[in-house]
């Protein structure tokens, strides 16, 4: 009887672990502004439309040395006020993890650029990554992205978050691997113990 309860406990533990790992594997990396990057020429007002940002997702900002990324409070967003930022980034390649639900606000540190449209509001949903609705635009396509309007970009390009391996996204391959481990591990333990 005790042997059966141990096996059941291990099986349930594997299922819970598999669910947690699978949810984490579903996180999406979004390249802000797509191929134009974080730039004054990007249509940042419409860029987030049709995208679902979830806890665990990542925003990638690519920009030249004439730009920066300031995360600001809602009150400072519309006025492009950067005197009291939450965080400041100036390195040309900024990765921001969306770690909690709610609205996030980003502006260029150059106030004139901000007033010209270099600002982004992102609504982060829920407690974990969730798939985008059917027909919604996804993160940037696979391959090397080169921002089209940059002449002084410190990065030469960034690989997409979802490279295709054998016609399937890396995310799909990782899910199969996790499922394989989660569902075969209890069977292996069963055969070892019997």
């Amino acid at each position: 009887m005790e042997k059966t309860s141990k096996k059941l406990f291990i099986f349930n533990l594997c299922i819970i672990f598999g669910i947690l790992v699978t949810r984490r594997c579903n996180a999406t990396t979004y390249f802000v502004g797509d191929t134009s990057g974080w730039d004054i020429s990007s249509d940042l007002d419409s860029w987030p439309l049709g995208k679902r940002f979830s806890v665990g997702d990542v925003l990638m900002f690519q920009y030249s040395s004439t730009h920066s990324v300031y995360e600001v409070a809602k009150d400072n967003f519309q006025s492009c006020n950067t005197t009291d930022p939450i965080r400041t980034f100036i390195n040309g390649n900024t990765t921001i993890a969306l770690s909690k639900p709610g609205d996030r606000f980003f502006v260029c540190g150059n106030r004139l650029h901000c007033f010209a449209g270099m600002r982004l509001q992102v609504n982060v949903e829920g407690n974990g990554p969730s798939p985008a609705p059917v027909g919604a635009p996804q993160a940037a396509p696979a391959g090397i992205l080169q921002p089209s309007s940059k002449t002084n970009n410190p990065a030469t390009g960034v690989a997409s978050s979802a490279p295709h391996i054998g016609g399937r996204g890396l995310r799909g391959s990782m899910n199969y691997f996790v499922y394989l481990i989660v569902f075969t591990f209890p069977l292996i333990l069963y055969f070892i113990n019997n």
Side-chain angles (χ1 to χ4, degrees), residues 140-142 160-164 169-171:
S160 168
S161 62
H164 288 276
L170 181 61
R171 180 183 297 175

Side-chain angles (χ1 to χ4, degrees), residues 101-113:
D103 288 329
R104 304 279 294 268
F105 302 92
F106 305 95
V107 300
C108 181
N110 181 322
R111 197 166 188 195
L112 293 175
H113 293 176

Side-chain angles (χ1 to χ4, degrees), residues 40-183:
I40 202 161
S41 66
S42 298
D43 183 6
L44 296 170
D45 284 335
S46 65
W47 178 80
L49 300 177
K51 293 176 176 69
R52 284 183 67 185
F53 302 97
S54 300
V55 172
D57 289 349
V58 174
L59 296 178
M60 285 286 301
F61 291 83
Q62 293 227 296
Y63 48 96
S64 70
S65 61
T66 60
H67 301 302
S68 57
V69 177
Y70 282 51
E71 184 170 3
V72 297
K74 182 179 182 177
D75 298 343
N76 295 329
F77 180 70
Q78 289 300 330
S79 62
C80 294
N81 184 350
T82 58
T83 57
D84 188 23
I86 297 169
R87 296 190 296 175
T88 303
F89 305 95
I90 58 170
N91 67 1
N93 283 313
T94 298
T95 303
I96 297 177
L98 303 176
S99 58
K100 61 184 178 184
D103 288 329
R104 304 279 294 268
F105 302 92
F106 305 95
V107 300
C108 181
N110 181 322
R111 197 166 188 195
L112 293 175
H113 293 176
C114 177
F115 279 124
M118 277 192 74
R119 56 183 162 199
L120 176 68
Q121 177 180 349
V122 174
N123 182 316
V124 183
E125 299 176 358
N127 293 326
S130 60
V134 175
Q138 297 295 315
I144 302 297
L145 299 177
Q146 181 66 38
S148 59
S149 61
K150 305 290 186 289
T151 57
N152 189 18
N153 188 358
T156 58
V158 174
S160 168
S161 62
H164 288 276
I165 298 173
R168 299 193 66 79
L170 181 61
R171 180 183 297 175
S173 299
M174 180 60 119
N175 283 347
Y176 287 127
F177 176 72
V178 169
Y179 287 132
L180 181 67
I181 288 176
V182 167
F183 292 114

